[in-house]
Amino acid sequence: AALKKGDTVVGSTSGAEGKVYQDYPMGATEIKVTYKVSDNQQSYVSCKEGALSTVPSGQMPAADKPYKYMNKCFQQEVLQVSRSGVTVASATAKAVPTNKAGRTLKGFST
């Protein structure tokens, strides 16, 4: 099935949750998923990696710290994609996904 922007994605092993970033046609071999976020700064994300530094020795990893936090990151696992609670696709990642920050400064004034 074709994937639609906003479809829910859940990792079968990791429990990671996210949304399909944009529409994808049936047969797409690569997709972009945005992780679920919350308004609570203490736990707003469950996975952040990209170019962040590793947590220094003696510190605990946490969502509100400026370090890698890999609590619930998508893995090389089966991904279930659903729309309105109904599964529309199931796919197995061929490799560990690449986690990249999706923010840019485009549009901000200086």
Side-chain angles (χ1 to χ4, degrees):
L3 303 182
K4 300 289 182 189
K5 179 179 180 177
D7 286 350
T8 300
V9 180
V10 177
S12 61
T13 305
S14 66
E17 296 180 44
K19 301 280 184 187
V20 173
Y21 184 75
Q22 64 189 37
D23 291 349
Y24 291 95
M26 188 185 314
T29 58
E30 209 172 285
I31 64 170
K32 186 174 182 180
V33 175
T34 59
Y35 281 97
K36 180 179 177 179
V37 296
S38 82
D39 292 334
N40 180 339
Q41 188 65 28
Q42 298 296 323
S43 62
Y44 73 103
V45 294
S46 61
C47 181
K48 57 181 188 167
E49 192 174 8
L52 294 172
S53 299
T54 303
V55 178
S57 179
Q59 291 196 25
M60 294 295 293
D64 63 341
K65 304 293 184 204
Y67 307 110
K68 291 181 182 182
Y69 181 59
M70 296 159 40
N71 184 33
K72 281 190 174 181
C73 297
F74 287 108
Q75 304 295 317
Q76 186 174 351
E77 61 188 335
V78 174
L79 303 176
Q80 299 291 334
V81 182
S82 62
R83 186 178 308 132
S84 302
V86 176
T87 299
V88 294
S90 179
T92 302
K94 291 183 178 181
V96 175
T98 302
N99 291 310
K100 297 180 181 178
R103 294 177 178 84
T104 66
L105 295 177
K106 185 177 180 180
F108 285 82
S109 62
T110 56

